Amino acid sequence: MEWETVIGLEVHAQLATKSKIFSGSSTAFGSEPNTQASALDLAMPGTLPVPNEQAYRYAIMFGLAIDADIAKTSVFERKNYFYPDLPKAYQTTQLEKPIVGAGHVEIELADGTKKSIRIHHAHLEEDAGKSLHEDFHGMSGIDLNRAGTPLVEIVSEPDIRNAEEAVAFAKKLHSIVTSLGICDGEMSQGSMRFDVNISVRRPGEEFGTRTETKNLNSFRFMEDCIALEVERQIDLIEDGGKVVQETRLYNGDTKQARSMRSKEEANDYRYFPCPDLLPVVLDNDYIESIRQTLPELPDARHDRFMEQYGLSSYDANILSGDANMAQFFETAAKASGDTKLTANWIMGELSARLNAEDQSIKHSPVNAEQLAGMITRLVDGTISSKMAKQVFEAMWNGDGNADEIIEAKGLKQVSDSGAIEAMVDEVIANSDKQVDNYRNADESKRPKMLGYFVGQIMKASKGQANPQQVNEILLKKLNDLI
Amino acid sequence: MTHSIKDNPITDKKAMHQKTIADIIAGLNAGEFTSVEITQHYLNRIKQLDGTYNSFITVNEESALAQAEAADKRRAEGDAPALCGVPIAHKDIFCTNGVRTSCGSKMLDNFVPPYDATVVENFANAGAVVLGKTNMDEFAMGSSNETSFYGPVKNPWDTNTVPGGSSGGSAAAVAAHLTPGATATDTGGSIRQPAALCGITGLKPTYGRVSRWGMIAFASSLDQGGPMARTAEDCALLLNVMASFDPKDSTSIDREVPDYTANLNQPLDGLKVGIPKEYFEEGLNPGTEQAVHDALAELEKQGATLVSISLPHTKLAVPAYYVIAPAEASANLSRFDGVRYGHRCEDPKDLRDMYMRTRAEGFGDEVKRRILVGAYCLSAGYYDAYYRKAQQVRRLIKQDFVDAFEQVDVIMGPTSPSPAFEFGAKGDDPVAMYLEDIYTIATNLAGLPGMSVPCGLVDDKPVGLQIIGNYFDESRMLNVAHQFQQVTDWHQQAPTGIDVEGAE
C-alpha cells in the first residue's frame, strides 16, 4: 500500500553580524574557548541585553526576499530551561510576535517541476554556547564563544513531500541567505542547521504523528536521515506499532538515528515577553529603505544566467544557486571568455573534487582566476583536455597558476604540423600490419581503428601532440594510402 | 506641628554626621573640612555603631579613604565635580568592580563583579566617595530586611523593629547617620517603605530614568534605582548624578536629565494634590492616618488644593504584582546555577544534583517561594489565568493614574500602612508582609515616580508621607517635598543612641 511522507523544516541560520545579538562580543568562528564571551554572554548579574540593529536588518532582508510580511511590532521572549551552555538559563527568542511573518520559497526539482513551499514565519533568537564532553575527565567543558550569536530561525509549513524536495528547499534557503550576505552558509561550522519534522500517512488522510530530527548540518545527511526515518516509521506502522512524538538525533557518520527525548519529557519553557527588551516598532520607511538595498536574489540571477550566458535552466540552477558559486562562475567566465567551457569545468571536475573533500566553493583551493587561466590555455590550444586535468590537479595541490604549471611540467602541446606529420609518418611506417587491416576494413569500421595510431603518436610525442591536429593529419595520410 | 532638635553647631567636627549633603558640599567648598576628614568620621561611626544596626555588608575603608584623598586633590586643583568628596553608600545590589556584590544572598557571597553598575560609575564620575555596600533583603525580596543572608538590619529608631525593606540597610545607615546618602532600589516599595520606617527621604524615579545596568535584577519591568538621604534637597543632588540615559540599558529613556535642584524653591500656590480614597481604607494605622492628614493640612496652608480622587483598581495591585514580579524573578534568578560564578554545592554527583543542591543551598526561603510562584504563573495552562491576566490588570492600574493626573499635579497618601513592626511579627504570614507595600506597589506597576518624606512620629516611630508624581515629574515632587521640609522638621528628627563620640 502507498505511503505519503510529510516534512516540515526548521532552519537555523547564523546571521553574519560582526558582533553578537545582544552584546558587543565578536562572532568569529574558531577562536580559543571563551575568548569571545563578555560579562553579558556569561550572564553575569546586572548585565542587560542591547539588540543588534544589524541582526534586525538581516532578518528583515530575509523576510523581504521570501515575500513575507515584516512585523511592525516584534517582541523578544524568554524561553526558560536549564542547560550549562545556556548561561541565563533562558534563550531570548521570539514567539507570539516574530519579526518575519508568512512567506514562500520556490523550488525546482531535477525533472524541472516547480513547487512553492510556504514559510510559516521566521524569528530572531540567540544561539547557545557549546558543551564539550571530551578531555575533561568525567566533567564537561563549556565554551560560550557561540552563545549570543544571532540566529534567524525559519519555520516552513509541512509542504514538503520527500527528501528531494527537502534538500531542494534547504539548498534554496542556503542560496537566499548567502546571496543576501546575511549568513556565510558554512554548514560544516554550523552556520546553517536543519531540524526535520517527518511523518507518514496514507494519501488523503490526516497528518500522522511526527518526529523531529535535530541539528542536521549537511544536505547529504538530511537526505539520508529522511530516508531512514521514513522507512522506520512505515515499518513501525506496518508492524502494528505507533509512531511516538519525539526528538531524534541523527549521526551522519554511522548513518544511525536514536531517540533523544519523548514528548512527555519535553520541557515546559514558560515563555513570556523579555522585560529587559522593549517591543521593536518599525515604520514603513525603514522597511522600504532595507528593500532598496536588497542584492540580486537567486531566482532573478537564475533567469539572468540563462539569458546572459545561454545556460540551460538546470545548469543555471546549479551555477546561480549558491552566491559564492555564482560569483565564482561569473568571475571565471569573464576572465576565460568561454562561458560554456567554464560552466562545464565548474559543474564537472571542480564540483566533483569539492564534494569529494567536503569543501565549499568559497574555500576552493583553485580560485576563479586560476581556473580561467587554465581554460584560456585550453581554448588557445596550448594544452589538451587531458593536460588540463593534470594542470587542474597541480593547481588543486597548490603548485601555482596554469602558466607556471605548464612551464614547469613542460606540458606544452605540440601544434607544429611539420613535427606532427613526421611522427605520423614514422608510426605509419612501423605499423604495416595495422595499416593493412585499416586498408582492408569496411569504411564504417575504420574510425574505430584510428585509436591505435593515435595512441602510438601520442606516446611518441609524450602526450604533447595536439590531438585534433594528430587526428586530421593521420586521417589524411591513411586515406592517401587507400 | 513641629519638633525642635538639639542645637548642635553644624560646623563642629563632632557633628559632621549631622550635615546634609548640601551642607557637606558647602563645607568642602569653603575648606571647613576635607573629604578625608569627613570620610574618616563616617568610617569611625560605622565601626562604632554598625555592630548594632548591621546596615553594611561590606565597608570599603581603604578604597574610601583613597577616593577621599583623590577628591581632595581634585578639589585643590579646581576640578570638583558635583559630589566631589561626598561620602555615600551603595546598596549591595549595585555591582562594584573588584568589590564583592552579594545582593544579600549566600548565592553571591563570593561574587566579585569585574564591572561597575552605571549608577556606580555615575557616582564615581561625580567624585563621590563610597563608604561601603549596604545590607538588603535577599535579591531585594522582602519588606523587613529579615531575608538577608547577612542577618537583619535593626531600625535605629527602635532596634526591636525592622527598618523595612528591601533597602533597609541604606535606610538605616542614613537614619543612623552612618552615611549622608545612599543608593537604593525599589521594585514594589523598597525605597519608599524603608525610608518611611526609618524617618528619611527616599525617591523612586520614573521607570527608565536611572540605568539598571549592573543593578542585579529582581523584576526587570519594575526595578528602579533611586536615592535615599535625609532631605529632599539631598535626594535632588543625588538624583542629578544617579539619573542618566544609558545605551547599555534598553529600557533606559533617552531624555535630558534636568537639574533637580532648580525648582526646589517654587511656591506651592495652586498645586493640586490628589488624595485617593482607596489609600485611607481599612488596614491603615490610625496614627499613621493622622500624621498624613496633618501633613496634607500643612500643604494646604502653603497654597495647595486637596482633591479627592479614586484609583479604583488599587486593590488589585498587590495580587497583580505578586504574579508579575515573581514571574520575572523566576527567569532572572535562573542564571544562578553554580556553573559560572557564585555558590556551587560541594561534590555534585551529576548536573541535576549540582543545579538542585546549589540552588537549594544558595537561596533563602522567600526567594525560593517567589521563584516557585513565578514559575507556576508562567506554566503551560496557567499563563493566561495568571501572567496574562496580571498584565491586563497592570494596564488598568496604569490607566487609573493616567486619568488621575488629568485632574491633579501630584498624588499623596501614606507610604506604608503602619510604622515599623517588630522582628518576626509577619514572619509566618507572607501575605501580611506583602500588604506592607499596598500603597507603593501600584506606582511600580505604572512606572511612575514615588517618594516618601518623614511626616510624623507614632509611638516614637517615624511615619512617611508618599508623594506620587506624573511621569518624569521628579522635579515637581522634589519641590513639594522640599517646601514641606521648609515648614516642618520631621526630616531633622534623629533616633536616640546615634550621637556617640565620632572622630578620635
Side-chain angles (χ1 to χ4, degrees):
Chain A
M1 224 170 137
E2 215 186 321
W3 290 94
E4 183 181 51
T5 305
V6 177
I7 299 171
L9 255 58
E10 290 167 27
V11 182
H12 290 90
Q14 282 184 350
L15 295 175
T17 54
K18 289 196 173 64
S19 59
K20 293 185 177 179
I21 187 166
F22 300 121
S23 83
S25 305
S26 166
T27 53
F29 178 82
S31 306
E32 284 295 301
N34 298 311
T35 53
Q36 289 164 191
S38 66
L40 180 118
D41 304 318
L42 284 159
M44 295 278 221
T47 57
L48 293 170
V50 178
N52 181 337
E53 189 189 351
Q54 191 65 30
Y56 245 86
R57 293 182 72 92
Y58 282 172
I60 293 166
M61 284 170 77
F62 175 75
L64 294 172
I66 62 159
D67 202 18
D69 293 330
I70 306 302
K72 294 284 157 50
T73 301
S74 53
V75 174
F76 281 108
E77 306 212 17
R78 294 180 177 180
K79 178 184 181 180
N80 295 284
Y81 64 97
F82 283 93
Y83 204 70
D85 59 24
L86 187 71
K88 298 187 297 293
Y90 58 79
Q91 181 192 29
T92 308
T93 179
Q94 298 178 324
L95 182 73
E96 282 189 15
K97 292 182 177 168
I99 175 69
V100 175
H104 56 93
V105 166
E106 312 307 313
I107 58 169
E108 184 176 344
L109 304 173
D111 65 2
T113 324
K114 291 185 177 170
K115 184 169 176 177
S116 181
I117 308 293
R118 290 170 302 155
I119 303 293
H120 181 270
H121 77 272
H123 63 259
L124 275 167
E125 62 184 26
E126 58 183 339
D127 211 341
K130 279 181 184 167
S131 295
L132 311 167
H133 301 297
E134 286 147 26
D135 307 329
F136 290 96
H137 312 288
M139 297 196 285
S140 293
I142 308 293
D143 177 8
L144 296 177
N145 282 354
R146 197 181 69 177
T149 298
L151 296 174
V152 63
E153 179 174 340
I154 305 153
V155 180
S156 87
E157 296 283 0
D159 288 350
I160 299 163
R161 289 293 171 271
N162 56 49
E164 189 198 356
E165 288 180 14
V167 170
F169 174 69
K171 284 187 171 168
K172 189 60 175 282
L173 287 180
H174 185 269
S175 166
I176 291 171
V177 297
T178 53
S179 298
L180 290 169
I182 64 173
C183 172
D184 68 16
E186 298 288 349
M187 316 249 297
S188 61
Q189 297 177 3
S191 292
M192 264 189 113
R193 311 190 295 266
F194 303 90
D195 300 343
V196 190
N197 287 285
I198 303 170
S199 64
V200 297
R201 64 172 171 184
R202 302 292 185 189
E205 287 184 358
E206 295 289 302
F207 289 142
T209 304
R210 68 171 195 270
T211 63
E212 182 182 28
T213 306
K214 287 186 100 74
N215 274 330
L216 299 165
N217 69 346
S218 98
F219 300 127
R220 201 172 348 156
F221 288 173
M222 188 193 299
E223 199 169 355
D224 294 349
C225 152
I226 291 170
L228 187 74
E229 177 60 11
V230 168
E231 195 186 327
R232 189 187 70 88
Q233 289 189 13
I234 292 173
D235 286 352
L236 196 62
I237 299 170
E238 288 185 344
D239 288 348
K242 269 188 176 168
V243 176
V244 178
Q245 190 174 338
E246 62 184 356
T247 304
R248 298 177 65 81
L249 280 181
Y250 176 76
N251 183 329
D253 298 326
T254 61
K255 298 198 178 203
Q256 284 179 332
R258 63 176 173 84
S259 176
M260 195 166 88
R261 59 170 179 264
S262 72
K263 191 190 174 192
E264 285 70 34
E265 298 165 67
N267 285 307
D268 176 356
Y269 291 118
R270 305 190 309 278
Y271 283 93
F272 74 105
C274 179
D276 287 328
L277 294 161
L278 301 173
V280 174
V281 179
L282 304 173
D283 61 23
N284 269 326
D285 288 352
Y286 185 80
I287 296 167
E288 284 313 306
S289 74
I290 292 175
R291 196 192 298 276
Q292 298 310 315
T293 68
L294 287 186
E296 185 181 37
L297 289 166
D299 286 346
R301 190 164 54 214
H302 171 267
D303 294 349
R304 179 170 66 82
F305 274 23
M306 285 179 69
E307 193 177 317
Q308 185 177 340
Y309 300 114
L311 297 171
S312 70
S313 179
Y314 182 78
D315 289 357
N317 207 14
I318 293 175
L319 292 170
S320 71
D322 179 292
N324 293 315
M325 174 73 97
Q327 199 194 353
F328 192 106
F329 166 69
E330 292 210 83
T331 307
K334 204 171 164 189
S336 74
D338 193 318
T339 306
K340 185 70 196 154
L341 209 49
T342 304
N344 288 343
W345 268 89
I346 292 174
M347 292 188 293
E349 196 73 15
L350 180 65
S351 292
R353 285 304 294 268
L354 290 171
N355 283 341
E357 300 194 11
D358 224 358
Q359 197 57 275
S360 70
I361 189 135
K362 199 173 156 190
H363 300 291
S364 169
V366 177
N367 66 34
E369 286 76 14
Q370 283 178 304
L371 187 71
M374 188 202 78
I375 289 167
T376 305
R377 293 291 159 258
L378 198 50
V379 172
D380 71 16
T382 307
I383 54 172
S384 63
S385 297
K386 203 173 164 189
M387 288 175 187
K389 289 195 173 160
Q390 273 179 270
V391 174
F392 181 85
E393 185 65 29
M395 291 196 298
W396 185 274
N397 294 327
D399 295 345
N401 62 35
D403 285 345
E404 289 162 357
I405 293 163
I406 290 166
E407 184 68 35
K409 296 197 184 249
L411 285 176
K412 279 206 177 130
Q413 182 168 249
V414 176
S415 300
D416 173 349
S417 55
I420 294 173
E421 272 187 48
M423 284 188 270
V424 172
D425 287 341
E426 198 186 332
V427 169
I428 289 177
N430 294 332
S431 309
D432 290 345
K433 196 177 156 214
Q434 285 80 3
V435 172
D436 278 347
N437 287 345
Y438 185 86
R439 198 185 286 137
N440 297 330
D442 189 80
E443 198 174 344
S444 67
K445 290 189 176 159
R446 281 183 187 149
K448 282 192 176 173
M449 302 173 79
L450 287 173
Y452 163 78
F453 297 101
V454 173
Q456 291 299 308
I457 297 162
M458 295 310 281
K459 198 172 163 189
S461 76
K462 299 194 176 69
Q464 296 186 347
N466 181 326
Q468 211 178 335
Q469 277 179 300
V470 169
N471 272 329
E472 280 169 17
I473 293 167
L474 176 67
L475 205 58
K476 186 168 170 289
K477 292 208 182 257
L478 283 174
N479 288 344
D480 286 348
L481 294 174
I482 299 171
Chain B
M1 178 163 75
T2 55
H3 285 249
S4 63
I5 54 163
K6 283 166 272 169
D7 272 332
N8 273 325
I10 57 168
T11 49
D12 181 349
K13 205 184 254 185
K14 283 178 186 166
M16 267 202 292
H17 56 271
Q18 293 181 325
K19 294 177 199 298
T20 62
I21 291 170
D23 294 337
I24 292 170
I25 294 170
L28 289 167
N29 280 341
E32 288 167 20
F33 47 84
T34 64
S35 176
V36 170
E37 285 169 331
I38 193 163
T39 299
Q40 188 63 63
H41 179 77
Y42 276 112
L43 289 169
N44 291 343
R45 284 184 60 79
I46 292 167
K47 248 185 252 177
Q48 288 169 312
L49 290 168
D50 206 42
T52 307
Y53 305 124
N54 195 30
S55 65
F56 280 84
I57 291 174
T58 303
V59 178
N60 308 324
E61 180 160 8
E62 217 171 292
S63 63
L65 288 169
Q67 288 164 5
E69 208 170 305
D72 285 334
K73 201 169 158 226
R74 270 182 98 169
R75 186 175 296 279
E77 286 163 359
D79 164 36
L83 297 178
C84 190
V86 176
I88 57 146
H90 286 305
K91 184 176 181 180
D92 208 21
I93 198 169
F94 290 101
C95 287
T96 40
N97 192 350
V99 177
R100 186 260 305 270
T101 301
S102 72
C103 219
S105 181
K106 179 180 179 183
M107 189 59 94
L108 292 179
D109 185 45
N110 64 0
F111 178 63
V112 179
Y115 46 87
D116 278 330
T118 298
V119 161
V120 171
E121 210 172 271
N122 288 349
F123 277 102
N125 291 338
V129 171
V130 181
L131 298 169
K133 310 288 297 286
T134 58
N135 203 345
M136 56 183 285
D137 277 301
E138 185 179 6
F139 285 104
M141 297 177 186
S143 305
S144 68
N145 230 291
E146 292 169 291
T147 72
S148 172
F149 173 63
Y150 301 91
V153 176
K154 308 282 172 62
N155 190 325
W157 289 84
D158 176 351
T159 51
N160 293 316
T161 64
V162 304
S166 67
S167 308
S170 288
V174 171
H177 298 187
L178 304 182
T179 178
T183 58
T185 61
D186 190 316
T187 305
S190 282
I191 289 176
R192 291 160 288 162
Q193 185 254 13
L197 269 49
C198 290
I200 61 161
T201 307
L203 188 153
K204 176 202 106 70
T206 308
Y207 183 80
R209 177 75 291 182
V210 169
S211 168
R212 293 188 298 113
W213 204 91
M215 190 178 110
I216 299 176
F218 158 17
S220 312
S221 75
L222 300 159
D223 296 342
Q224 185 62 200
M228 280 181 162
R230 282 161 54 211
T231 67
E233 183 184 21
D234 283 3
C235 282
L237 289 165
L238 294 176
L239 189 59
N240 274 351
V241 167
M242 203 166 178
S244 63
F245 165 62
D246 185 1
K248 290 194 288 188
D249 172 1
S250 304
T251 61
S252 169
I253 291 169
D254 189 0
R255 186 180 167 122
E256 208 186 325
V257 178
D259 176 358
Y260 290 108
T261 62
N263 294 326
L264 291 177
N265 293 315
Q266 293 284 319
L268 300 186
D269 292 320
L271 179 82
K272 282 190 237 160
V273 179
I275 314 298
K277 64 181 169 66
E278 292 81 3
Y279 285 25
F280 293 87
E281 289 174 355
E282 135 184 55
L284 179 60
N285 175 296
T288 301
E289 182 170 6
Q290 188 56 52
V292 171
H293 278 307
D294 291 346
L296 294 173
E298 187 62 52
L299 289 167
E300 252 185 321
K301 266 198 259 170
Q302 293 196 49
T305 312
L306 305 186
V307 182
S308 181
I309 60 164
S310 173
L311 299 169
H313 296 96
T314 296
K315 275 213 169 74
L316 297 177
V318 169
Y321 175 89
Y322 277 98
V323 169
I324 293 167
E328 293 183 11
S330 71
N332 282 334
L333 271 62
S334 292
R335 66 187 61 198
F336 305 111
D337 57 6
V339 174
R340 298 165 310 285
Y341 51 77
H343 178 70
R344 179 191 286 178
C345 70
E346 294 282 333
D347 300 324
K349 71 173 194 285
D350 57 23
L351 181 62
R352 192 182 167 81
D353 181 48
M354 181 175 92
Y355 282 153
M356 291 183 61
R357 280 201 290 131
T358 294
R359 291 168 66 80
E361 293 164 9
F363 291 138
D365 287 348
E366 183 59 27
V367 171
K368 285 176 193 160
R369 178 171 13 246
R370 296 199 195 188
I371 290 172
L372 285 172
V373 168
Y376 180 85
C377 294
L378 292 173
S379 297
Y382 299 97
Y383 182 89
D384 287 343
Y386 292 102
Y387 186 79
R388 203 184 291 278
K389 185 71 79 184
Q391 291 292 8
Q392 288 164 353
V393 170
R394 185 175 187 172
R395 280 191 287 277
L396 294 174
I397 286 167
K398 183 178 171 179
Q399 195 56 47
D400 280 357
F401 282 107
V402 169
D403 294 344
F405 280 115
E406 304 260 307
Q407 309 171 51
V408 299
D409 301 314
V410 290
I411 293 169
M412 289 191 196
T415 303
S416 68
S418 55
F421 49 92
E422 292 194 355
F423 287 102
K426 302 185 182 190
D428 296 334
D429 186 355
V431 174
M433 188 74 89
Y434 297 167
L435 290 172
E436 266 299 295
D437 295 328
I438 188 165
Y439 306 126
T440 49
I441 271 177
T443 46
N444 296 81
L445 290 170
L448 288 165
M451 229 183 139
S452 182
V453 277
C455 72
L457 292 170
V458 174
D459 302 331
D460 293 326
K461 294 188 187 84
V463 172
L465 168 72
Q466 185 175 206
I467 306 171
I468 299 168
N470 209 339
Y471 296 102
F472 296 101
D473 214 6
E474 288 86 355
S475 280
R476 193 201 301 261
M477 295 157 61
L478 287 160
N479 164 224
V480 174
H482 182 69
Q483 288 305 304
F484 180 70
Q485 291 179 343
Q486 296 311 294
V487 295
T488 59
D489 65 1
W490 301 110
H491 60 291
Q492 291 174 322
Q493 306 294 312
T496 52
I498 65 165
D499 278 317
V500 294
E501 287 297 308
E504 51 267 32

